[in-house]
mmCIF file of all heavy atoms in Angstrom:
data_model
loop_
_atom_site.group_PDB
_atom_site.id
_atom_site.type_symbol
_atom_site.label_atom_id
_atom_site.label_comp_id
_atom_site.label_asym_id
_atom_site.label_seq_id
_atom_site.Cartn_x
_atom_site.Cartn_y
_atom_site.Cartn_z
ATOM 1 N N SER A 23 -15.263 -9.814 11.441
ATOM 2 C CA SER A 23 -14.843 -10.927 12.409
ATOM 3 C C SER A 23 -13.441 -11.272 12.144
ATOM 4 O O SER A 23 -12.812 -11.960 12.886
ATOM 5 C CB SER A 23 -15.749 -12.095 12.161
ATOM 6 O OG SER A 23 -15.564 -12.723 10.921
ATOM 7 N N PRO A 51 -28.663 7.683 7.804
ATOM 8 C CA PRO A 51 -29.523 6.822 8.496
ATOM 9 C C PRO A 51 -28.862 5.376 8.675
ATOM 10 O O PRO A 51 -29.550 4.367 8.350
ATOM 11 C CB PRO A 51 -30.770 6.679 7.541
ATOM 12 C CG PRO A 51 -30.156 6.927 6.196
ATOM 13 C CD PRO A 51 -29.041 7.954 6.397
ATOM 14 N N ARG A 82 -16.357 17.886 16.974
ATOM 15 C CA ARG A 82 -16.330 17.382 18.296
ATOM 16 C C ARG A 82 -15.640 16.058 18.369
ATOM 17 O O ARG A 82 -14.934 15.815 19.311
ATOM 18 C CB ARG A 82 -17.814 17.198 18.772
ATOM 19 C CG ARG A 82 -17.984 16.505 20.121
ATOM 20 C CD ARG A 82 -19.408 16.435 20.479
ATOM 21 N NE ARG A 82 -19.641 15.612 21.724
ATOM 22 C CZ ARG A 82 -20.784 15.427 22.253
ATOM 23 N NH1 ARG A 82 -21.884 15.711 21.629
ATOM 24 N NH2 ARG A 82 -20.882 14.752 23.429
#
Side-chain angles (χ1 to χ4, degrees):
S23 71
R82 176 181 177 184

